[in-house]
């Protein structure tokens, strides 16, 4: 792996663990066992690392938020897809930890962040509308908008909420996010008893592992 | 009003408007048209103001989170009560803007903040359990826990989410929070058509004004 890729991966790990505020460039250099001068050669300060990570996050989300994949999803696959969204966002969760502060500190990330959130919302709206057209989901048009808002809120904020307020590990946080979404959706979904049981069973046993890939190596091939 | 009370009220207004990070002691003194020295006489820096505001917030929430009031609430009154909770928290919304960062910056507020959140969660659990016992709400025991988590998340995080992502005014943010809660609860509530319509109508027309009092004057009688 190239040094610039190793730097970004380490920065991401440390930012997620301690918050962006709690990590300095020197911490990142020390963790990598390189000199601050060498780090500076690749990235001129934290801002350029944060921007590079946001570009990676934007690319990653573009690959997950593909509209034409939604039509054929069954109710169970919808749950898998929602998990994939939580999981994808969770890889870059430091961006969602103190959302107002980080955008004020790095105005450059505001636009890509807005793009991600509006694509996410659009995708969720389309997903819910498709389910409603297929008569799998019972919801009025205004319910559909609110449900898309609610799912966006849960996907982007529940991990941060759990981290501040409880001591869940990362996997439990993701399943908690998924369970919060499903507790809102299930009473509106028209499912057979078998389907309902299989969904509840998967949620209960945390049995969605391996559905998703984490950040793949090729995403780190960003030139700096 | 005493100077120390005026200082706290002004600090609260500015923190809510710009975030705690975006406001200095000097900004607060200037807004009040007093000297920084006079401000310092009352509060030794922002930390003591933030702590005093957290104590006020804790007191305010204790008055709203009264368990014995829950038994007699009808489904409609439950909605009013949820609005009251959103409204109460919203008065001190800067604490929920960048939740992780503010607690790290002011470790003193961590304990009262935890107390507020655990009282809130306990109250919501009890509210939902009562409704379930009265057969007004359809939910399994694990649904009840998840719904209490979900309502806590919406009450504490939706305003911040709306502020960062859209341009709603404060009133719209509160109704949005309430609508997000109701879109999750309504399919589980056993209501007559008349009750359901009156709830939807109240949500739609933002007709819950004057249910709640904002921070009353006597809360500012904190001695510093």
């Amino acid at each position: 792996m190239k040094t610039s890729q190793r730097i970004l991966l380490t920065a991401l790990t440390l930012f997620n663990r301690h918050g962006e505020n709690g990590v300095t460039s020197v911490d990142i250099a020390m963790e990598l066992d390189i000199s601050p001068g060498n780090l500076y050669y690749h990235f001129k300060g934290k801002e350029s690392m944060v921007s590079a990570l946001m570009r990676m996050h934007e690319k990653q989300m573009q690959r997950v938020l593909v509209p034409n994949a939604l039509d054929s999803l069954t109710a169970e696959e919808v749950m898998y897809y929602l998990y994939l969204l939580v999981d994808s966002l969770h890889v870059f969760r430091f961006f969602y930890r103190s959302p107002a502060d980080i955008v004020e500190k790095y105005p450059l990330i505001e636009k890509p962040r807005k793009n991600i959130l509006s694509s996410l919302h659009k995708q969720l709206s389309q997903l819910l509308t498709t389910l409603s057209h297929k008569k799998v989901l019972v919801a009025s048009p205004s319910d559909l908008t609110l449900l898309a808002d609610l799912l966006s809120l849960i996907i982007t904020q529940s991990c941060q909420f759990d981290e501040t307020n409880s001591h869940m590990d990362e996997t439990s946080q993701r399943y908690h996010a998924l369970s919060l979404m499903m507790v809102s959706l299930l009473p509106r979904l028209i499912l057979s008893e078998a389907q309902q049981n299989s969904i509840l069973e998967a949620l209960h046993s945390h049995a969605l592992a391996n559905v998703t890939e984490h950040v793949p190596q090729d995403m780190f091939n960003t030139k700096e």
Side-chain angles (χ1 to χ4, degrees), chain A residues 9 56 60 63 91-92 213-221:
Chain A
L9 194 52
M56 286 166 50
Q60 167 219 35
R63 298 196 309 174
V91 173
F92 292 92
E213 337 136 45
H214 292 251
V215 193
Q217 284 309 322
D218 69 312
M219 289 189 58
F220 283 91
N221 290 329

mmCIF file of all heavy atoms in Angstrom, chain A residues 9 56 60 63 91-92 213-221:
data_model
loop_
_atom_site.group_PDB
_atom_site.id
_atom_site.type_symbol
_atom_site.label_atom_id
_atom_site.label_comp_id
_atom_site.label_asym_id
_atom_site.label_seq_id
_atom_site.Cartn_x
_atom_site.Cartn_y
_atom_site.Cartn_z
ATOM 1 N N LEU A 9 -5.881 5.670 5.722
ATOM 2 C CA LEU A 9 -6.503 4.574 6.460
ATOM 3 C C LEU A 9 -6.296 4.755 7.967
ATOM 4 O O LEU A 9 -7.210 4.546 8.772
ATOM 5 C CB LEU A 9 -5.883 3.255 5.981
ATOM 6 C CG LEU A 9 -6.593 1.962 6.363
ATOM 7 C CD1 LEU A 9 -8.058 2.001 5.982
ATOM 8 C CD2 LEU A 9 -5.910 0.762 5.684
ATOM 9 N N MET A 56 -13.599 10.041 -0.623
ATOM 10 C CA MET A 56 -13.742 8.581 -0.617
ATOM 11 C C MET A 56 -15.139 8.173 -0.166
ATOM 12 O O MET A 56 -15.756 7.273 -0.730
ATOM 13 C CB MET A 56 -12.729 7.962 0.348
ATOM 14 C CG MET A 56 -11.313 7.968 -0.178
ATOM 15 S SD MET A 56 -10.127 7.597 1.137
ATOM 16 C CE MET A 56 -10.858 6.135 1.844
ATOM 17 N N GLN A 60 -17.861 6.072 -2.262
ATOM 18 C CA GLN A 60 -18.389 4.829 -1.697
ATOM 19 C C GLN A 60 -19.922 4.863 -1.686
ATOM 20 O O GLN A 60 -20.585 3.900 -2.080
ATOM 21 C CB GLN A 60 -17.841 4.702 -0.259
ATOM 22 C CG GLN A 60 -18.510 3.655 0.608
ATOM 23 C CD GLN A 60 -18.677 4.142 2.058
ATOM 24 O OE1 GLN A 60 -18.913 5.324 2.313
ATOM 25 N NE2 GLN A 60 -18.558 3.216 2.991
ATOM 26 N N ARG A 63 -21.643 4.370 -4.982
ATOM 27 C CA ARG A 63 -21.722 2.984 -5.449
ATOM 28 C C ARG A 63 -22.868 2.222 -4.782
ATOM 29 O O ARG A 63 -23.384 1.244 -5.328
ATOM 30 C CB ARG A 63 -20.398 2.263 -5.166
ATOM 31 C CG ARG A 63 -19.227 2.896 -5.913
ATOM 32 C CD ARG A 63 -18.034 1.980 -5.943
ATOM 33 N NE ARG A 63 -17.722 1.515 -4.600
ATOM 34 C CZ ARG A 63 -16.808 0.615 -4.329
ATOM 35 N NH1 ARG A 63 -16.125 0.059 -5.311
ATOM 36 N NH2 ARG A 63 -16.561 0.260 -3.087
ATOM 37 N N VAL A 91 -18.472 3.170 8.270
ATOM 38 C CA VAL A 91 -17.048 3.168 7.938
ATOM 39 C C VAL A 91 -16.466 4.584 8.065
ATOM 40 O O VAL A 91 -15.312 4.757 8.439
ATOM 41 C CB VAL A 91 -16.832 2.614 6.509
ATOM 42 C CG1 VAL A 91 -15.382 2.760 6.083
ATOM 43 C CG2 VAL A 91 -17.287 1.163 6.426
ATOM 44 N N PHE A 92 -17.285 5.581 7.779
ATOM 45 C CA PHE A 92 -16.842 6.978 7.876
ATOM 46 C C PHE A 92 -17.603 7.697 8.989
ATOM 47 O O PHE A 92 -17.975 8.859 8.844
ATOM 48 C CB PHE A 92 -17.071 7.692 6.538
ATOM 49 C CG PHE A 92 -16.173 7.191 5.434
ATOM 50 C CD1 PHE A 92 -16.575 6.163 4.594
ATOM 51 C CD2 PHE A 92 -14.915 7.751 5.268
ATOM 52 C CE1 PHE A 92 -15.736 5.695 3.584
ATOM 53 C CE2 PHE A 92 -14.074 7.292 4.256
ATOM 54 C CZ PHE A 92 -14.484 6.255 3.415
ATOM 55 N N GLU A 213 -19.294 -5.450 2.208
ATOM 56 C CA GLU A 213 -17.851 -5.314 2.258
ATOM 57 C C GLU A 213 -17.569 -3.987 2.951
ATOM 58 O O GLU A 213 -18.303 -3.035 2.789
ATOM 59 C CB GLU A 213 -17.243 -5.218 0.867
ATOM 60 C CG GLU A 213 -18.063 -5.798 -0.240
ATOM 61 C CD GLU A 213 -18.094 -4.884 -1.440
ATOM 62 O OE1 GLU A 213 -17.018 -4.366 -1.830
ATOM 63 O OE2 GLU A 213 -19.200 -4.670 -1.966
ATOM 64 N N HIS A 214 -16.498 -3.944 3.683
ATOM 65 C CA HIS A 214 -16.075 -2.667 4.253
ATOM 66 C C HIS A 214 -15.330 -1.893 3.168
ATOM 67 O O HIS A 214 -15.391 -2.265 2.008
ATOM 68 C CB HIS A 214 -15.265 -2.915 5.518
ATOM 69 C CG HIS A 214 -16.140 -3.473 6.592
ATOM 70 N ND1 HIS A 214 -16.510 -2.758 7.687
ATOM 71 C CD2 HIS A 214 -16.769 -4.662 6.678
ATOM 72 C CE1 HIS A 214 -17.311 -3.501 8.412
ATOM 73 N NE2 HIS A 214 -17.481 -4.662 7.828
ATOM 74 N N VAL A 215 -14.681 -0.833 3.535
ATOM 75 C CA VAL A 215 -14.016 -0.047 2.480
ATOM 76 C C VAL A 215 -13.051 -0.931 1.704
ATOM 77 O O VAL A 215 -12.104 -1.469 2.265
ATOM 78 C CB VAL A 215 -13.189 1.108 3.080
ATOM 79 C CG1 VAL A 215 -12.793 2.069 1.972
ATOM 80 C CG2 VAL A 215 -13.958 1.821 4.134
ATOM 81 N N PRO A 216 -13.268 -1.104 0.441
ATOM 82 C CA PRO A 216 -12.361 -1.954 -0.322
ATOM 83 C C PRO A 216 -11.069 -1.217 -0.647
ATOM 84 O O PRO A 216 -11.046 -0.002 -0.718
ATOM 85 C CB PRO A 216 -13.130 -2.245 -1.612
ATOM 86 C CG PRO A 216 -14.385 -1.435 -1.564
ATOM 87 C CD PRO A 216 -14.338 -0.538 -0.381
ATOM 88 N N GLN A 217 -10.019 -1.998 -0.825
ATOM 89 C CA GLN A 217 -8.688 -1.442 -1.077
ATOM 90 C C GLN A 217 -8.662 -0.410 -2.197
ATOM 91 O O GLN A 217 -8.010 0.609 -2.085
ATOM 92 C CB GLN A 217 -7.701 -2.572 -1.438
ATOM 93 C CG GLN A 217 -7.265 -3.392 -0.240
ATOM 94 C CD GLN A 217 -6.775 -2.535 0.916
ATOM 95 O OE1 GLN A 217 -6.117 -1.533 0.717
ATOM 96 N NE2 GLN A 217 -7.116 -2.911 2.133
ATOM 97 N N ASP A 218 -9.392 -0.698 -3.282
ATOM 98 C CA ASP A 218 -9.249 0.184 -4.448
ATOM 99 C C ASP A 218 -9.783 1.589 -4.194
ATOM 100 O O ASP A 218 -9.501 2.512 -4.940
ATOM 101 C CB ASP A 218 -9.924 -0.420 -5.688
ATOM 102 C CG ASP A 218 -11.429 -0.446 -5.542
ATOM 103 O OD1 ASP A 218 -11.908 -0.900 -4.478
ATOM 104 O OD2 ASP A 218 -12.128 -0.004 -6.463
ATOM 105 N N MET A 219 -10.541 1.764 -3.095
ATOM 106 C CA MET A 219 -11.011 3.105 -2.777
ATOM 107 C C MET A 219 -9.884 3.978 -2.271
ATOM 108 O O MET A 219 -10.002 5.192 -2.204
ATOM 109 C CB MET A 219 -12.104 3.047 -1.722
ATOM 110 C CG MET A 219 -13.375 2.472 -2.280
ATOM 111 S SD MET A 219 -14.674 2.672 -1.097
ATOM 112 C CE MET A 219 -14.665 4.429 -0.866
ATOM 113 N N PHE A 220 -8.792 3.334 -1.858
ATOM 114 C CA PHE A 220 -7.680 4.112 -1.329
ATOM 115 C C PHE A 220 -6.713 4.559 -2.422
ATOM 116 O O PHE A 220 -5.701 5.159 -2.148
ATOM 117 C CB PHE A 220 -6.958 3.326 -0.230
ATOM 118 C CG PHE A 220 -7.726 3.344 1.044
ATOM 119 C CD1 PHE A 220 -8.652 2.357 1.349
ATOM 120 C CD2 PHE A 220 -7.569 4.398 1.929
ATOM 121 C CE1 PHE A 220 -9.380 2.413 2.528
ATOM 122 C CE2 PHE A 220 -8.298 4.454 3.107
ATOM 123 C CZ PHE A 220 -9.199 3.459 3.403
ATOM 124 N N ASN A 221 -7.045 4.243 -3.654
ATOM 125 C CA ASN A 221 -6.196 4.680 -4.769
ATOM 126 C C ASN A 221 -6.495 6.114 -5.187
ATOM 127 O O ASN A 221 -6.680 6.421 -6.353
ATOM 128 C CB ASN A 221 -6.364 3.741 -5.968
ATOM 129 C CG ASN A 221 -5.750 2.393 -5.668
ATOM 130 O OD1 ASN A 221 -4.785 2.296 -4.919
ATOM 131 N ND2 ASN A 221 -6.327 1.343 -6.235
#
